[in-house]
Amino acid sequence: MTVISATGNQALNTRVTATKSLTVVTSAASQQQATTAQSTAVMIGQTDTPSPVYNITKPALVWERSSSDLMSSKLASNFSNAGNAARFTGLGAALLERFTTDSSSYSQSVMKQTSAQSASSAGNVAAQTQLHTKADNQISLSIKTASGALVDITLGSDDDGLGVQVNVSKGTLSDADRKALAGLAEGFQKAIDGLTAQPPKLDLSGLTKFDTSVLSSVDLHATLGTTNTQTLDFHADASTRSVKSTGVTGTVDISVDMSKRALLGTDIQQKQALNSYLKQINSAGSRGNADDSLMAMFKDAFTALNSNYGDTATTYKSRGSEPVYFSLTKTDKNMMTGLADFTASVSQTPVDSTNPMRPDETDMFSYQLSQASTITGTGTQDRNITQKQQSHLVASYHQSLTPGLQLNLTSDRNSQNYLYYQIDDKSESTTSVQYHKGALVSASVDQSASHLTHIQKYVKGALESDTTTPESVSKTTDLLGQLQSAWENNAPRMSFRDYLNHQTLPDLSPLVLMKSDPAQLKSRS
């Protein structure tokens, strides 16, 4: 016992007694559980009278198993922190890096002892199970190997516990499997760090960088928080990539079809198309007054799913009852975007109560973007290729009449000074290529873009103006004519077919990229 005395004008003495104890218990499930308890007794009073005693007891910590390994040390360090970002720091990477030396299953958790039950009680076992399966904050990664093995990794956290689990089933892991799993460590951790950031981010590119001949699929699922919940579902394999994320600001939903690899372009071509789409996404977000963090998530996810495609192909097999095989040339790819087909959408959570005087004026944002390609015909000599890109923006929002002044609409007419915007934009680009008896006979792209802007101006609650401004542009570009002009100028002595097969062709892919701004499309006419 340690006694500390203090003497003042009123001759008060303070005595502090501290005791510590450590208990280790072995559970019936043959799992070692260590309970660490700390308590402090504080006694304050006059030296010649009995002292009141205040007991402050720190909660005991219950471990699922022996806590002497490196992963347990990491859990102990993280558990002392608050918030998902700090709790999950480094855990995902550590669990995958573990496969460099160990391919076995693993389970560990640390919890506060929240009741008078012993550390080996059924209540603690149930709490540990829930921490691995239904925690308030749960992240799981499921990986299938090409050989058939399944690896499931979970991280769980709530106010009273933190746990991790690795389960290897349906087969054994080869050296190549273990190396590939460890290779996802950085990507997994970046995905976790993004999800737990404020505001959340979708950093998923590292989870698309895997060899599908070793790992056949990767799935990431997350549910964070019990209120204002953020969720994520991500999938990637050789033929499909998808992500859907929902949160308080809205929903991001993207799916990429990797099956038509014959249409994929060069890295330069893909980067060019991706940058073009990102510019259009930025423009849509600005024009529709979208939430910046939601649009950042959409762009990050769109970029991740449309990067790291891997090997391309030159042959395409149709999906009919009697499959037809088509061989595509560099000329064909030169007239495509170079990206895989996709559907992508982002929708902001509508706000219905922005203006109490006019509840029908909703603040909302919805944007869809897609690309779809088809290859038909009787064979390579007679083939038709069509690639269609589309976008659609619908948005509405309120804006102050005074730039920079935050709008605060109330039932008071003096606050009713604003502009109410309603936006409806559409764009489309359709490329058509036809071959007959092996000869290119037609190639063109039809494009259109339209903007519809409806603005209502209110001053002290009275409608002062109501304007609708439509803009629309359409055009057709003869791609075959472009190729024939280049042939006549650069190699008129050889046949047109030989020119297409053996010479460097002009890059036509920028001409087929969709333009969502009518003014921009018009300037290219």
Side-chain angles (χ1 to χ4, degrees), residues 13-75:
N13 291 324
T14 302
R15 292 176 294 167
V16 179
T17 303
T19 62
K20 297 182 179 180
S21 63
L22 175 66
T23 305
V24 178
V25 181
T26 302
S27 71
S30 300
Q31 294 179 325
Q32 292 184 337
Q33 299 183 353
T35 303
T36 304
Q38 294 185 348
S39 63
T40 302
V42 180
M43 293 172 285
I44 303 175
Q46 301 289 344
T47 56
D48 56 350
T49 60
S51 302
V53 178
Y54 303 90
N55 287 315
I56 304 173
T57 302
K58 296 181 180 179
L61 297 182
V62 180
W63 288 90
E64 183 176 334
R65 50 179 285 169
S66 173
S67 57
S68 60
D69 60 359
L70 292 177
M71 185 62 69
S72 299
S73 297
K74 183 67 177 172
L75 280 175

Short mmCIF file of all heavy atoms in Angstrom, two decimals, residues 13-75:
data_model
loop_
_atom_site.label_atom_id
_atom_site.label_comp_id
_atom_site.label_asym_id
_atom_site.label_seq_id
_atom_site.Cartn_x
_atom_site.Cartn_y
_atom_site.Cartn_z
N ASN A 13 -5.93 15.55 4.65
CA ASN A 13 -5.00 14.51 4.20
C ASN A 13 -5.68 13.67 3.13
O ASN A 13 -6.86 13.35 3.24
CB ASN A 13 -4.60 13.58 5.35
CG ASN A 13 -3.72 14.30 6.37
OD1 ASN A 13 -2.92 15.14 5.99
ND2 ASN A 13 -3.89 13.98 7.66
N THR A 14 -4.97 13.37 2.09
CA THR A 14 -5.48 12.51 1.02
C THR A 14 -4.66 11.25 0.97
O THR A 14 -3.42 11.33 0.94
CB THR A 14 -5.39 13.21 -0.35
OG1 THR A 14 -6.15 14.42 -0.27
CG2 THR A 14 -5.97 12.32 -1.45
N ARG A 15 -5.34 10.13 1.04
CA ARG A 15 -4.64 8.85 0.99
C ARG A 15 -5.12 8.07 -0.24
O ARG A 15 -6.32 7.89 -0.42
CB ARG A 15 -4.92 8.03 2.25
CG ARG A 15 -4.29 8.64 3.52
CD ARG A 15 -4.68 7.86 4.75
NE ARG A 15 -6.11 7.98 5.00
CZ ARG A 15 -6.76 7.21 5.86
NH1 ARG A 15 -6.13 6.25 6.50
NH2 ARG A 15 -8.06 7.36 6.05
N VAL A 16 -4.20 7.64 -1.07
CA VAL A 16 -4.52 6.92 -2.30
C VAL A 16 -3.97 5.52 -2.20
O VAL A 16 -2.78 5.36 -1.91
CB VAL A 16 -3.94 7.62 -3.55
CG1 VAL A 16 -4.29 6.83 -4.80
CG2 VAL A 16 -4.48 9.04 -3.64
N THR A 17 -4.82 4.56 -2.36
CA THR A 17 -4.39 3.17 -2.32
C THR A 17 -4.66 2.54 -3.68
O THR A 17 -5.76 2.62 -4.17
CB THR A 17 -5.18 2.39 -1.25
OG1 THR A 17 -4.98 3.03 -0.01
CG2 THR A 17 -4.72 0.93 -1.18
N ALA A 18 -3.66 1.95 -4.28
CA ALA A 18 -3.82 1.33 -5.60
C ALA A 18 -3.47 -0.14 -5.52
O ALA A 18 -2.48 -0.50 -4.89
CB ALA A 18 -2.93 2.01 -6.63
N THR A 19 -4.29 -0.96 -6.12
CA THR A 19 -4.02 -2.39 -6.19
C THR A 19 -4.20 -2.86 -7.60
O THR A 19 -5.03 -2.35 -8.34
CB THR A 19 -4.99 -3.18 -5.27
OG1 THR A 19 -6.30 -2.97 -5.72
CG2 THR A 19 -4.87 -2.74 -3.82
N LYS A 20 -3.41 -3.81 -8.00
CA LYS A 20 -3.51 -4.39 -9.33
C LYS A 20 -3.48 -5.92 -9.22
O LYS A 20 -2.80 -6.46 -8.35
CB LYS A 20 -2.35 -3.95 -10.24
CG LYS A 20 -2.34 -2.45 -10.51
CD LYS A 20 -1.21 -2.10 -11.45
CE LYS A 20 -1.20 -0.61 -11.75
NZ LYS A 20 -0.11 -0.24 -12.66
N SER A 21 -4.24 -6.57 -10.09
CA SER A 21 -4.23 -8.03 -10.07
C SER A 21 -4.33 -8.55 -11.49
O SER A 21 -4.88 -7.90 -12.37
CB SER A 21 -5.41 -8.57 -9.26
OG SER A 21 -6.63 -8.20 -9.86
N LEU A 22 -3.79 -9.74 -11.74
CA LEU A 22 -3.81 -10.37 -13.07
C LEU A 22 -4.31 -11.79 -12.91
O LEU A 22 -3.82 -12.54 -12.07
CB LEU A 22 -2.41 -10.38 -13.69
CG LEU A 22 -2.26 -11.12 -15.02
CD1 LEU A 22 -3.07 -10.39 -16.07
CD2 LEU A 22 -0.81 -11.21 -15.42
N THR A 23 -5.33 -12.16 -13.69
CA THR A 23 -5.90 -13.50 -13.61
C THR A 23 -5.89 -14.13 -14.98
O THR A 23 -6.27 -13.50 -15.95
CB THR A 23 -7.35 -13.45 -13.10
OG1 THR A 23 -7.36 -12.75 -11.86
CG2 THR A 23 -7.92 -14.85 -12.92
N VAL A 24 -5.49 -15.39 -15.11
CA VAL A 24 -5.51 -16.13 -16.36
C VAL A 24 -6.42 -17.33 -16.19
O VAL A 24 -6.27 -18.09 -15.24
CB VAL A 24 -4.10 -16.59 -16.78
CG1 VAL A 24 -4.17 -17.40 -18.06
CG2 VAL A 24 -3.19 -15.38 -16.94
N VAL A 25 -7.39 -17.48 -17.12
CA VAL A 25 -8.37 -18.56 -17.01
C VAL A 25 -8.37 -19.36 -18.29
O VAL A 25 -8.28 -18.80 -19.37
CB VAL A 25 -9.79 -17.97 -16.76
CG1 VAL A 25 -10.81 -19.10 -16.62
CG2 VAL A 25 -9.79 -17.10 -15.52
N THR A 26 -8.51 -20.67 -18.20
CA THR A 26 -8.62 -21.53 -19.38
C THR A 26 -10.06 -21.94 -19.55
O THR A 26 -10.67 -22.47 -18.63
CB THR A 26 -7.73 -22.77 -19.23
OG1 THR A 26 -6.39 -22.35 -19.02
CG2 THR A 26 -7.81 -23.64 -20.49
N SER A 27 -10.66 -21.68 -20.75
CA SER A 27 -12.07 -21.94 -20.99
C SER A 27 -12.32 -23.41 -21.29
O SER A 27 -11.41 -24.17 -21.60
CB SER A 27 -12.57 -21.10 -22.16
OG SER A 27 -12.04 -21.60 -23.35
N ALA A 28 -13.62 -23.77 -21.25
CA ALA A 28 -14.01 -25.14 -21.52
C ALA A 28 -13.76 -25.50 -22.97
O ALA A 28 -13.64 -26.66 -23.32
CB ALA A 28 -15.47 -25.35 -21.17
N ALA A 29 -13.72 -24.49 -23.84
CA ALA A 29 -13.48 -24.72 -25.27
C ALA A 29 -12.02 -24.88 -25.58
O ALA A 29 -11.60 -24.86 -26.72
CB ALA A 29 -14.06 -23.58 -26.09
N SER A 30 -11.20 -25.03 -24.54
CA SER A 30 -9.75 -25.20 -24.67
C SER A 30 -9.08 -24.00 -25.29
O SER A 30 -8.01 -24.09 -25.86
CB SER A 30 -9.43 -26.46 -25.52
OG SER A 30 -9.96 -27.59 -24.91
N GLN A 31 -9.73 -22.81 -25.21
CA GLN A 31 -9.13 -21.57 -25.68
C GLN A 31 -8.64 -20.82 -24.46
O GLN A 31 -9.36 -20.68 -23.48
CB GLN A 31 -10.13 -20.72 -26.45
CG GLN A 31 -10.59 -21.33 -27.76
CD GLN A 31 -11.60 -20.44 -28.44
OE1 GLN A 31 -12.39 -19.79 -27.77
NE2 GLN A 31 -11.55 -20.39 -29.75
N GLN A 32 -7.43 -20.30 -24.52
CA GLN A 32 -6.90 -19.54 -23.41
C GLN A 32 -7.49 -18.15 -23.43
O GLN A 32 -7.49 -17.49 -24.43
CB GLN A 32 -5.38 -19.45 -23.50
CG GLN A 32 -4.68 -20.80 -23.27
CD GLN A 32 -3.19 -20.66 -23.28
OE1 GLN A 32 -2.67 -19.71 -23.84
NE2 GLN A 32 -2.50 -21.60 -22.66
N GLN A 33 -8.02 -17.72 -22.30
CA GLN A 33 -8.57 -16.38 -22.18
C GLN A 33 -7.90 -15.71 -21.00
O GLN A 33 -7.93 -16.21 -19.88
CB GLN A 33 -10.09 -16.42 -21.96
CG GLN A 33 -10.83 -17.10 -23.11
CD GLN A 33 -12.32 -17.06 -22.88
OE1 GLN A 33 -12.76 -16.65 -21.81
NE2 GLN A 33 -13.08 -17.47 -23.87
N ALA A 34 -7.30 -14.56 -21.24
CA ALA A 34 -6.61 -13.83 -20.17
C ALA A 34 -7.45 -12.63 -19.78
O ALA A 34 -7.91 -11.89 -20.64
CB ALA A 34 -5.24 -13.36 -20.65
N THR A 35 -7.66 -12.43 -18.50
CA THR A 35 -8.43 -11.30 -18.00
C THR A 35 -7.51 -10.42 -17.17
O THR A 35 -6.92 -10.88 -16.20
CB THR A 35 -9.61 -11.78 -17.14
OG1 THR A 35 -10.40 -12.66 -17.92
CG2 THR A 35 -10.45 -10.60 -16.68
N THR A 36 -7.41 -9.16 -17.57
CA THR A 36 -6.58 -8.22 -16.84
C THR A 36 -7.47 -7.19 -16.20
O THR A 36 -8.24 -6.52 -16.89
CB THR A 36 -5.59 -7.51 -17.78
OG1 THR A 36 -4.81 -8.49 -18.46
CG2 THR A 36 -4.68 -6.58 -17.00
N ALA A 37 -7.43 -7.07 -14.87
CA ALA A 37 -8.29 -6.12 -14.17
C ALA A 37 -7.43 -5.13 -13.40
O ALA A 37 -6.41 -5.49 -12.82
CB ALA A 37 -9.23 -6.84 -13.21
N GLN A 38 -7.85 -3.87 -13.34
CA GLN A 38 -7.17 -2.84 -12.58
C GLN A 38 -8.20 -2.09 -11.76
O GLN A 38 -9.28 -1.78 -12.25
CB GLN A 38 -6.45 -1.86 -13.51
CG GLN A 38 -5.29 -2.48 -14.27
CD GLN A 38 -4.54 -1.44 -15.08
OE1 GLN A 38 -5.02 -0.33 -15.22
NE2 GLN A 38 -3.38 -1.80 -15.57
N SER A 39 -7.86 -1.82 -10.47
CA SER A 39 -8.77 -1.04 -9.65
C SER A 39 -7.99 -0.07 -8.81
O SER A 39 -6.84 -0.32 -8.45
CB SER A 39 -9.62 -1.94 -8.75
OG SER A 39 -8.79 -2.64 -7.84
N THR A 40 -8.60 1.08 -8.49
CA THR A 40 -7.96 2.12 -7.69
C THR A 40 -8.94 2.58 -6.62
O THR A 40 -10.10 2.85 -6.92
CB THR A 40 -7.57 3.33 -8.56
OG1 THR A 40 -6.69 2.89 -9.59
CG2 THR A 40 -6.88 4.40 -7.71
N ALA A 41 -8.47 2.61 -5.36
CA ALA A 41 -9.31 3.11 -4.26
C ALA A 41 -8.78 4.47 -3.84
O ALA A 41 -7.59 4.64 -3.56
CB ALA A 41 -9.27 2.16 -3.07
N VAL A 42 -9.67 5.49 -3.78
CA VAL A 42 -9.30 6.85 -3.41
C VAL A 42 -10.04 7.22 -2.13
O VAL A 42 -11.27 7.17 -2.09
CB VAL A 42 -9.65 7.85 -4.53
CG1 VAL A 42 -9.25 9.26 -4.12
CG2 VAL A 42 -8.94 7.45 -5.81
N MET A 43 -9.29 7.60 -1.02
CA MET A 43 -9.91 7.97 0.25
C MET A 43 -9.55 9.40 0.58
O MET A 43 -8.37 9.77 0.58
CB MET A 43 -9.41 7.03 1.37
CG MET A 43 -9.91 5.58 1.19
SD MET A 43 -9.16 4.43 2.34
CE MET A 43 -7.53 4.25 1.64
N ILE A 44 -10.57 10.26 0.86
CA ILE A 44 -10.37 11.67 1.13
C ILE A 44 -11.03 12.02 2.45
O ILE A 44 -12.18 11.66 2.70
CB ILE A 44 -10.97 12.53 -0.01
CG1 ILE A 44 -10.35 12.12 -1.36
CG2 ILE A 44 -10.75 14.00 0.27
CD1 ILE A 44 -10.97 12.83 -2.53
N GLY A 45 -10.35 12.74 3.33
CA GLY A 45 -11.00 13.16 4.58
C GLY A 45 -10.00 13.71 5.57
O GLY A 45 -8.80 13.83 5.30
N GLN A 46 -10.46 14.06 6.77
CA GLN A 46 -9.60 14.55 7.84
C GLN A 46 -8.79 13.39 8.39
O GLN A 46 -9.22 12.23 8.38
CB GLN A 46 -10.45 15.17 8.96
CG GLN A 46 -11.33 16.32 8.50
CD GLN A 46 -10.54 17.57 8.18
OE1 GLN A 46 -9.39 17.67 8.57
NE2 GLN A 46 -11.14 18.49 7.46
N THR A 47 -7.63 13.68 8.93
CA THR A 47 -6.75 12.64 9.45
C THR A 47 -7.31 11.98 10.68
O THR A 47 -7.02 10.83 10.97
CB THR A 47 -5.37 13.24 9.80
OG1 THR A 47 -5.57 14.31 10.72
CG2 THR A 47 -4.68 13.73 8.56
N ASP A 48 -8.18 12.68 11.41
CA ASP A 48 -8.67 12.12 12.66
C ASP A 48 -10.09 11.60 12.56
O ASP A 48 -10.74 11.31 13.56
CB ASP A 48 -8.58 13.17 13.78
CG ASP A 48 -9.33 14.44 13.42
OD1 ASP A 48 -9.73 14.55 12.25
OD2 ASP A 48 -9.49 15.29 14.33
N THR A 49 -10.65 11.51 11.32
CA THR A 49 -12.00 10.98 11.15
C THR A 49 -11.99 9.89 10.10
O THR A 49 -11.10 9.85 9.23
CB THR A 49 -12.97 12.09 10.71
OG1 THR A 49 -12.52 12.61 9.46
CG2 THR A 49 -13.05 13.19 11.75
N PRO A 50 -12.99 8.99 10.11
CA PRO A 50 -13.04 7.94 9.07
C PRO A 50 -13.14 8.56 7.68
O PRO A 50 -13.82 9.56 7.48
CB PRO A 50 -14.31 7.17 9.43
CG PRO A 50 -14.53 7.45 10.88
CD PRO A 50 -14.04 8.85 11.12
N SER A 51 -12.47 7.97 6.73
CA SER A 51 -12.41 8.51 5.37
C SER A 51 -13.38 7.79 4.45
O SER A 51 -13.43 6.55 4.44
CB SER A 51 -11.00 8.38 4.79
OG SER A 51 -10.07 9.05 5.60
N PRO A 52 -14.19 8.55 3.66
CA PRO A 52 -15.03 7.89 2.65
C PRO A 52 -14.15 7.28 1.56
O PRO A 52 -13.07 7.78 1.26
CB PRO A 52 -15.87 9.03 2.08
CG PRO A 52 -15.08 10.26 2.34
CD PRO A 52 -14.34 10.00 3.64
N VAL A 53 -14.59 6.19 0.95
CA VAL A 53 -13.80 5.48 -0.05
C VAL A 53 -14.56 5.47 -1.38
O VAL A 53 -15.75 5.17 -1.42
CB VAL A 53 -13.51 4.03 0.39
CG1 VAL A 53 -12.74 3.29 -0.70
CG2 VAL A 53 -12.74 4.03 1.69
N TYR A 54 -13.88 5.85 -2.47
CA TYR A 54 -14.45 5.83 -3.82
C TYR A 54 -13.68 4.80 -4.64
O TYR A 54 -12.46 4.94 -4.84
CB TYR A 54 -14.33 7.21 -4.48
CG TYR A 54 -15.00 8.31 -3.67
CD1 TYR A 54 -14.27 9.02 -2.70
CD2 TYR A 54 -16.34 8.63 -3.86
CE1 TYR A 54 -14.88 10.02 -1.96
CE2 TYR A 54 -16.95 9.63 -3.12
CZ TYR A 54 -16.21 10.32 -2.17
OH TYR A 54 -16.80 11.31 -1.44
N ASN A 55 -14.33 3.76 -5.12
CA ASN A 55 -13.68 2.71 -5.89
C ASN A 55 -13.86 2.96 -7.40
O ASN A 55 -14.99 3.12 -7.87
CB ASN A 55 -14.26 1.34 -5.56
CG ASN A 55 -13.81 0.86 -4.20
OD1 ASN A 55 -12.63 0.98 -3.87
ND2 ASN A 55 -14.75 0.35 -3.40
N ILE A 56 -12.76 3.04 -8.13
CA ILE A 56 -12.77 3.22 -9.58
C ILE A 56 -12.16 1.97 -10.20
O ILE A 56 -10.97 1.69 -10.01
CB ILE A 56 -11.95 4.46 -10.01
CG1 ILE A 56 -12.48 5.71 -9.31
CG2 ILE A 56 -11.99 4.63 -11.52
CD1 ILE A 56 -11.63 6.93 -9.54
N THR A 57 -12.97 1.17 -10.90
CA THR A 57 -12.51 -0.11 -11.44
C THR A 57 -12.46 -0.06 -12.96
O THR A 57 -13.47 0.21 -13.60
CB THR A 57 -13.43 -1.25 -11.01
OG1 THR A 57 -13.49 -1.27 -9.58
CG2 THR A 57 -12.92 -2.58 -11.53
N LYS A 58 -11.30 -0.28 -13.51
CA LYS A 58 -11.16 -0.36 -14.96
C LYS A 58 -11.65 -1.72 -15.43
O LYS A 58 -11.39 -2.73 -14.77
CB LYS A 58 -9.70 -0.15 -15.37
CG LYS A 58 -9.16 1.23 -15.05
CD LYS A 58 -7.72 1.37 -15.51
CE LYS A 58 -7.17 2.76 -15.19
NZ LYS A 58 -5.77 2.90 -15.62
N PRO A 59 -12.36 -1.78 -16.57
CA PRO A 59 -12.89 -3.07 -17.02
C PRO A 59 -11.77 -4.05 -17.38
O PRO A 59 -10.71 -3.68 -17.88
CB PRO A 59 -13.71 -2.69 -18.26
CG PRO A 59 -13.13 -1.41 -18.73
CD PRO A 59 -12.69 -0.69 -17.48
N ALA A 60 -12.05 -5.31 -17.07
CA ALA A 60 -11.08 -6.36 -17.42
C ALA A 60 -11.09 -6.58 -18.92
O ALA A 60 -12.07 -6.31 -19.60
CB ALA A 60 -11.44 -7.64 -16.69
N LEU A 61 -9.98 -7.08 -19.45
CA LEU A 61 -9.88 -7.43 -20.86
C LEU A 61 -9.90 -8.94 -21.01
O LEU A 61 -9.19 -9.65 -20.30
CB LEU A 61 -8.60 -6.86 -21.47
CG LEU A 61 -8.47 -5.34 -21.47
CD1 LEU A 61 -7.16 -4.94 -22.17
CD2 LEU A 61 -9.66 -4.68 -22.15
N VAL A 62 -10.73 -9.42 -21.92
CA VAL A 62 -10.87 -10.85 -22.14
C VAL A 62 -10.31 -11.19 -23.52
O VAL A 62 -10.77 -10.65 -24.54
CB VAL A 62 -12.35 -11.28 -22.07
CG1 VAL A 62 -12.46 -12.78 -22.30
CG2 VAL A 62 -12.94 -10.89 -20.73
N TRP A 63 -9.35 -12.07 -23.56
CA TRP A 63 -8.75 -12.51 -24.82
C TRP A 63 -9.33 -13.85 -25.22
O TRP A 63 -9.58 -14.72 -24.38
CB TRP A 63 -7.24 -12.61 -24.69
CG TRP A 63 -6.56 -11.27 -24.61
CD1 TRP A 63 -6.28 -10.56 -23.49
CD2 TRP A 63 -6.11 -10.49 -25.71
NE1 TRP A 63 -5.68 -9.37 -23.81
CE2 TRP A 63 -5.55 -9.29 -25.17
CE3 TRP A 63 -6.11 -10.66 -27.09
CZ2 TRP A 63 -5.01 -8.29 -25.97
CZ3 TRP A 63 -5.56 -9.66 -27.89
CH2 TRP A 63 -5.03 -8.49 -27.33
N GLU A 64 -9.51 -14.06 -26.50
CA GLU A 64 -10.06 -15.31 -27.02
C GLU A 64 -9.07 -16.45 -26.88
O GLU A 64 -9.45 -17.61 -26.70
CB GLU A 64 -10.46 -15.11 -28.48
CG GLU A 64 -11.12 -16.30 -29.14
CD GLU A 64 -11.55 -15.98 -30.57
OE1 GLU A 64 -11.80 -14.79 -30.87
OE2 GLU A 64 -11.65 -16.92 -31.37
N ARG A 65 -7.80 -16.13 -26.98
CA ARG A 65 -6.74 -17.13 -26.91
C ARG A 65 -5.50 -16.48 -26.35
O ARG A 65 -5.51 -15.29 -26.02
CB ARG A 65 -6.46 -17.71 -28.30
CG ARG A 65 -6.24 -16.65 -29.37
CD ARG A 65 -5.94 -17.23 -30.73
NE ARG A 65 -4.58 -17.73 -30.77
CZ ARG A 65 -4.09 -18.47 -31.76
NH1 ARG A 65 -4.88 -18.84 -32.75
NH2 ARG A 65 -2.83 -18.88 -31.76
N SER A 66 -4.43 -17.22 -26.22
CA SER A 66 -3.18 -16.67 -25.71
C SER A 66 -2.80 -15.42 -26.49
O SER A 66 -2.86 -15.41 -27.72
CB SER A 66 -2.06 -17.71 -25.84
OG SER A 66 -0.81 -17.14 -25.51
N SER A 67 -2.46 -14.36 -25.78
CA SER A 67 -2.22 -13.07 -26.42
C SER A 67 -0.74 -12.74 -26.54
O SER A 67 -0.32 -11.61 -26.33
CB SER A 67 -2.94 -11.97 -25.63
OG SER A 67 -2.50 -11.97 -24.28
N SER A 68 0.06 -13.74 -26.88
CA SER A 68 1.51 -13.53 -26.94
C SER A 68 2.06 -13.37 -28.35
O SER A 68 3.26 -13.17 -28.54
CB SER A 68 2.23 -14.70 -26.25
OG SER A 68 1.91 -15.92 -26.90
N ASP A 69 1.19 -13.47 -29.40
CA ASP A 69 1.70 -13.36 -30.76
C ASP A 69 1.64 -11.91 -31.26
O ASP A 69 1.07 -11.03 -30.62
CB ASP A 69 0.93 -14.30 -31.70
CG ASP A 69 -0.56 -13.99 -31.74
OD1 ASP A 69 -0.99 -13.06 -31.03
OD2 ASP A 69 -1.30 -14.68 -32.47
N LEU A 70 2.22 -11.69 -32.44
CA LEU A 70 2.32 -10.34 -32.98
C LEU A 70 0.95 -9.76 -33.34
O LEU A 70 0.69 -8.57 -33.15
CB LEU A 70 3.22 -10.34 -34.23
CG LEU A 70 4.70 -10.64 -33.99
CD1 LEU A 70 5.46 -10.68 -35.31
CD2 LEU A 70 5.32 -9.60 -33.07
N MET A 71 0.04 -10.60 -33.84
CA MET A 71 -1.28 -10.11 -34.19
C MET A 71 -2.02 -9.63 -32.95
O MET A 71 -2.72 -8.61 -32.97
CB MET A 71 -2.08 -11.21 -34.89
CG MET A 71 -3.45 -10.75 -35.40
SD MET A 71 -3.34 -9.43 -36.65
CE MET A 71 -2.62 -10.37 -38.01
N SER A 72 -1.85 -10.35 -31.86
CA SER A 72 -2.50 -9.95 -30.61
C SER A 72 -1.94 -8.62 -30.11
O SER A 72 -2.68 -7.78 -29.58
CB SER A 72 -2.31 -11.03 -29.54
OG SER A 72 -2.90 -12.24 -29.95
N SER A 73 -0.66 -8.43 -30.28
CA SER A 73 -0.05 -7.15 -29.88
C SER A 73 -0.64 -6.00 -30.70
O SER A 73 -0.91 -4.92 -30.17
CB SER A 73 1.47 -7.20 -30.08
OG SER A 73 2.06 -8.18 -29.26
N LYS A 74 -0.86 -6.26 -31.99
CA LYS A 74 -1.47 -5.25 -32.84
C LYS A 74 -2.90 -4.96 -32.40
O LYS A 74 -3.34 -3.80 -32.35
CB LYS A 74 -1.45 -5.73 -34.30
CG LYS A 74 -1.98 -4.72 -35.31
CD LYS A 74 -1.07 -3.52 -35.42
CE LYS A 74 -1.56 -2.57 -36.49
NZ LYS A 74 -0.79 -1.31 -36.49
N LEU A 75 -3.64 -6.00 -32.07
CA LEU A 75 -5.01 -5.82 -31.60
C LEU A 75 -5.05 -5.02 -30.30
O LEU A 75 -5.88 -4.13 -30.13
CB LEU A 75 -5.67 -7.19 -31.37
CG LEU A 75 -6.20 -7.93 -32.60
CD1 LEU A 75 -6.70 -9.31 -32.19
CD2 LEU A 75 -7.32 -7.17 -33.27
#
